[in-house]
Amino acid sequence: MTAYRFRVKFDSDPTSLWRDIVVGADRTLDEFQATINAAMGLDQDHLWFFGIDEDYWDSDVKYQRPEEYEDLPSGQPMRFGEETYTAGTTTVGEMVAQLGLDQYDRICYLFDYGDEWRFYAILKEIIDDDPDDRAPEVVEEKGEQVDQYAPMGKEGPLLPERLRKLDLPETAIPTADLRALEERDDVAHVIVLLSIETGFGAVSERFMIQFDDVGYLLENSPQGWEIIEEVDGEDKTEEELLSALASAAREWHAEIAEIASAASGQVFDDETVEAMNIELNQELERKGYGHL
């Protein structure tokens, strides 16, 4: 009895759009793919394949849409030297065994050879007590579905209005400026999470900000500030909302370690995560919430 939990991430925006899907070992890759597309907002009108890691077209092994595989003469590969299999009969368990996947290893998924919707999936958990025939199911998710046929050049969503009113710079922000935000009537807490010393003083590339009814965990990226997590505080006390934000930050730090481990081949363990949490714990202690 084995099932697998994959975190399927949108390659273009992996922190804002992902789905956790649990699927039994005996379910086919075709079934797994159908669940991914339905969860991400994509139709089934195009060719696709699964591959190794984040290699996409460069993957030496491809699990293809059954109709494409059947149309290839004698199972001829898409390019010289690669192995191809049909996703119609290959099970998830067979793929895991063939690729030698361990926890936190990755596979890639490319849908539509023209527009190239790219996703990668991290094997987050191997579940030994789930049925082999468990149907693929989304068990956790973040982010809105993609707009498959949106006009080219359409901009993504802006930050919420109350964040835009803060006039955050597109790059890292001085920590002194962040802490000054707490002087605003509508801001309850600001927690600096990733500060870097520069010749002009400390700047931050990750922080939490808490309003009366909502909190945000934000990170700076090449595209500017992005919301990693939004926590609804409508039914929470001020301390409960701050606690939920702190938990979200710790989970994000653990995910960063997982991603770094998979990408580099090095092991970033709990000690690494705790090191990332030091600044969070110090900030909470400074504000009198060291028990959170």
Side-chain angles (χ1 to χ4, degrees):
M1 296 178 63
T2 305
Y4 304 95
R5 179 170 180 151
F6 288 93
R7 175 157 294 183
V8 182
K9 290 173 165 280
F10 184 34
D11 195 293
S12 298
D13 192 3
T15 61
S16 300
L17 177 54
W18 51 261
R19 303 287 187 262
D20 275 10
I21 298 176
V22 175
V23 56
D26 287 347
R27 291 290 181 167
T28 66
L29 291 172
D30 197 24
E31 294 174 294
F32 183 34
Q33 181 272 343
T35 303
I36 294 174
N37 272 32
M40 292 295 184
L42 298 170
D43 60 28
Q44 292 284 48
D45 295 339
H46 301 278
L47 299 177
W48 52 266
F49 65 81
F50 289 101
I52 299 172
D53 197 47
E54 291 181 63
D55 293 348
Y56 297 104
W57 288 111
D58 292 329
S59 176
D60 291 330
V61 180
K62 292 186 176 72
Y63 300 88
Q64 299 169 314
R65 175 173 172 162
E67 294 84 352
E68 179 183 18
Y69 182 85
E70 292 163 4
D71 286 342
L72 290 173
S74 302
Q76 179 180 340
M78 300 171 72
R79 63 185 180 88
F80 180 76
E82 73 177 15
E83 300 176 36
T84 57
Y85 302 91
T86 174
T89 57
T90 304
T91 66
V92 175
E94 288 171 339
M95 177 197 67
V96 169
Q98 288 168 353
L99 300 182
L101 297 182
D102 292 320
Q103 190 177 22
Y104 305 133
D105 285 345
R106 301 183 180 198
I107 58 173
C108 57
Y109 166 56
L110 188 146
F111 176 77
D112 187 349
Y113 296 172
D115 289 340
E116 291 198 7
W117 293 92
R118 295 186 176 211
F119 302 85
Y120 63 87
I122 301 170
L123 179 54
K124 287 186 64 68
E125 185 180 1
I126 300 173
I127 309 170
D128 293 325
D129 55 356
D130 263 15
D132 293 330
D133 62 351
R134 177 172 176 174
E137 175 188 9
V138 177
V139 296
E140 190 175 351
E141 61 184 296
K142 180 181 179 183
E144 298 294 326
Q145 293 183 334
V146 300
D147 186 350
Q148 184 174 355
Y149 297 107
M152 295 297 291
K154 179 180 177 181
E155 294 184 357
L158 297 172
L159 291 175
E161 182 178 0
R162 62 174 63 186
L163 290 178
R164 296 201 303 272
K165 287 182 176 179
L166 300 179
D167 293 325
L168 298 174
E170 292 186 3
T171 56
I173 182 172
T175 56
D177 291 350
L178 275 178
R179 293 197 171 108
L181 292 175
E182 289 187 319
E183 298 175 6
R184 296 172 58 106
D185 293 337
D186 58 339
V187 175
H189 298 288
V190 175
I191 303 291
V192 177
L193 296 176
L194 179 59
S195 59
I196 302 170
E197 290 294 335
T198 72
F200 304 97
V203 298
S204 176
E205 294 188 334
R206 183 184 308 141
F207 70 95
M208 302 177 343
I209 186 166
Q210 178 176 331
F211 299 93
D212 291 338
D213 58 346
V214 68
Y216 298 97
L217 169 62
L218 295 108
E219 177 130 3
N220 194 251
S221 74
Q223 291 75 39
W225 288 98
E226 296 185 8
I227 296 174
I228 302 301
E229 194 72 43
E230 176 179 339
V231 180
D232 183 9
E234 185 175 351
D235 298 322
K236 295 181 176 67
T237 65
E238 178 181 326
E239 183 171 328
E240 287 172 341
L241 179 53
L242 183 59
S243 177
L245 272 174
S247 295
R250 293 185 178 105
E251 290 176 4
W252 175 233
H253 291 161
E255 184 169 343
I256 291 173
E258 291 178 10
I259 294 172
S261 295
S264 67
Q266 302 180 48
V267 177
F268 294 93
D269 54 15
D270 291 343
E271 290 186 6
T272 305
V273 177
E274 286 305 312
M276 286 191 283
N277 288 334
I278 287 176
E279 197 162 8
L280 167 63
N281 297 334
Q282 289 175 340
E283 285 283 286
L284 291 172
E285 186 71 34
R286 178 181 66 84
K287 298 173 69 66
Y289 292 96
H291 56 285
L292 296 182

